[in-house]
């Protein structure tokens, strides 16, 4: 244990968070997607602490969160297509991957020629980043490969003792990480599905698959993973098995978590990580996840479930 981790509400916590950022320290902050672990994005020493606290490999680049749209142009070379996306979806759960400028530390981009940038809509995050007045690098506030936190309590479970402060802004609205998009002359490439759906993006250009040479976020097949083995499939009960249910009843299961009683994909997304955590803590042998329909937000939910199931 290196730190005694304090949890503060938005009121008294904001100035403490800004002081920590200014002195090169770390602070966990709420965003509208998941909680992030923030550091001064232009201070390589501060960013190094993020990798250390998360046990994150240095090969995995960080998302930079800007205080304003003007900062986007200072950090990256912005095409008209990318600018249109920022104008429409920011502040909000969309991350743009763009050619970087010199100012961005190599540690943040993991040595790549691109940088991932987003502008959070969360009022507490905005207050912190606007008062700080500089961009904040923030990956999800979990240990590497694990389930992203959607409450301050989840952050404590992941990083308690490793960071000095968690700002508690309540549960995250979306509950899934931002959509990551790269724009090029062919159109929009979704590198990670998220709250901004392919259907919504289609209004801004043809939506393509991944791009050769650009590693998919996380880079690894296994991510967002509980410790208990998770399988996706048909709902058949077996002994000491938990169910992550979309619409099935839970007869015969040791433990059931319902993503949404009304089959609402938004509600399901917001509940996903909390439900996975509760099942993971229930001492089960296996977690069975019932597939959700792959439209709209369902695409992002299934992407997370597949990564959680990969071993
Ligand atoms: O909603 C979110 O995006 C949250 C909140 C805290 O903002 N952040 C988040 O960060 O999910 P993280 O680090 O857990 O996931 C970001 C992903 C990583 O898997 C990384 O590989 C990818 O974004 N990434 C970062 N920079 C990239 C780049 N230049 N090119 C391609 N992928 C990149
Ligand atoms: Mg993450």
């Amino acid at each position: 244990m290196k730190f005694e981790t304090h949890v503060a509400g938005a009121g008294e916590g904001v100035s403490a968070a800004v002081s920590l950022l200014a002195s090169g320290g770390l602070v966990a902050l709420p965003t509208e997607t998941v909680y992030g672990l923030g550091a001064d994005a232009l201070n390589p020493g501060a960013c190094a602490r993020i990798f250390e606290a998360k046990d994150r490999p240095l090969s995995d680049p960080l998302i930079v969160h800007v205080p304003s749209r003007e900062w986007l142009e200072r950090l990256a070379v912005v095409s008209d297509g990318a600018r249109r996306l920022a104008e429409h979806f920011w502040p909000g759960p969309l991350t743009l991957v763009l050619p970087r400028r010199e100012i961005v530390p190599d540690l943040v981009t993991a040595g790549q020629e691109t940088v991932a940038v987003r502008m959070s809509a969360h009022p507490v995050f905005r207050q912190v980043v606007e008062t700080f007045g500089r961009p904040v690098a923030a990956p999800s506030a979990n240990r590497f490969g694990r389930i992203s936190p959607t409450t301050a309590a989840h952050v404590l479970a992941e990083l308690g003792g490793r960071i000095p402060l968690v700002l508690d802004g309540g549960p995250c609205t979306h509950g899934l990480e931002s959509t990551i998009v790269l724009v090029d002359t062919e159109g929009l490439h979704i590198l990670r599905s998220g709250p901004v759906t392919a259907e919504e993006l289609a209004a801004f250009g043809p939506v393509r698959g991944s791009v050769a040479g650009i590693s998919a976020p996380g880079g690894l097949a296994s991510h967002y993973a509980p410790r208990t083995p998770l399988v996706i499939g048909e709902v058949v009960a077996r002994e000491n098995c938990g169910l992550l249910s979309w619409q099935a009843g839970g007869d015969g299961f040791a433990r059931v978590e319902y993503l949404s009683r009304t089959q609402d994909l938004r509600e399901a997304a917001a509940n996903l990580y909390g439900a996975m955590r509760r099942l993971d803590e229930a001492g089960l042998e296996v977690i069975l996840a019932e597939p959700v329909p792959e439209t709209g937000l369902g695409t992002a939910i299934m992407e997370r479930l597949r990564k959680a199931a990969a071993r």
Side-chain angles (χ1 to χ4, degrees), residues 33 36 56 60-61 63 65 114 116 118 138-140 177-178 180 192 217-218:
T33 56
R56 181 179 175 112
D60 195 358
I63 295 178
H65 299 64
T114 55
R118 99 171 181 95
S140 51
E177 303 81 358
S178 62
I180 304 182
R192 177 175 71 187

Side-chain angles (χ1 to χ4, degrees), residues 31 33-37 54 56 60-63 65 95 97 108-109 112 114-116 118 138-140 142 148 176-178 180 191-192 214-219 223:
T31 85
T33 56
V34 299
Y35 274 71
L37 180 60
K54 283 185 54 109
R56 181 179 175 112
D60 195 358
L62 306 175
I63 295 178
H65 299 64
T95 296
V97 172
V108 169
T109 67
Q112 300 194 62
T114 55
V115 61
R118 99 171 181 95
S140 51
N142 50 277
S148 296
L176 288 182
E177 303 81 358
S178 62
I180 304 182
L191 303 184
R192 177 175 71 187
I214 301 282
S215 61
H223 217 74

Side-chain angles (χ1 to χ4, degrees), residues 68-187:
S68 62
R69 282 196 187 77
E70 292 77 76
W71 268 100
L72 174 64
E73 316 276 345
R74 291 201 225 171
L75 298 171
V77 181
V78 189
S79 65
D80 290 342
R83 194 172 295 111
R84 271 195 294 277
L85 289 175
E87 275 161 13
H88 187 81
F89 291 103
W90 283 9
L94 179 75
T95 296
L96 295 169
V97 172
L98 304 161
R100 64 180 285 197
R101 291 194 194 277
E102 225 20 58
I103 180 177
V104 184
D106 284 332
L107 197 63
V108 169
T109 67
Q112 300 194 62
E113 283 313 304
T114 55
V115 61
V117 188
R118 99 171 181 95
M119 184 172 164
S120 170
H122 196 289
V124 175
F125 193 99
R126 288 188 64 169
Q127 223 185 325
V128 171
V129 74
E130 284 170 15
T131 311
F132 183 48
R134 285 156 70 85
V136 171
S140 51
N142 50 277
R143 272 171 289 151
F144 183 67
R146 295 255 306 139
I147 306 167
S148 296
T150 56
T151 66
H154 295 166
V155 178
L156 271 186
E158 290 289 324
L159 300 175
R162 294 176 173 226
I163 59 172
L165 180 66
V166 183
L167 269 200
D168 187 350
C172 301
T173 322
H174 297 296
L176 288 182
E177 303 81 358
S178 62
T179 306
I180 304 182
V181 172
L182 179 145
V183 187
D184 65 13
T185 49
E186 288 169 32

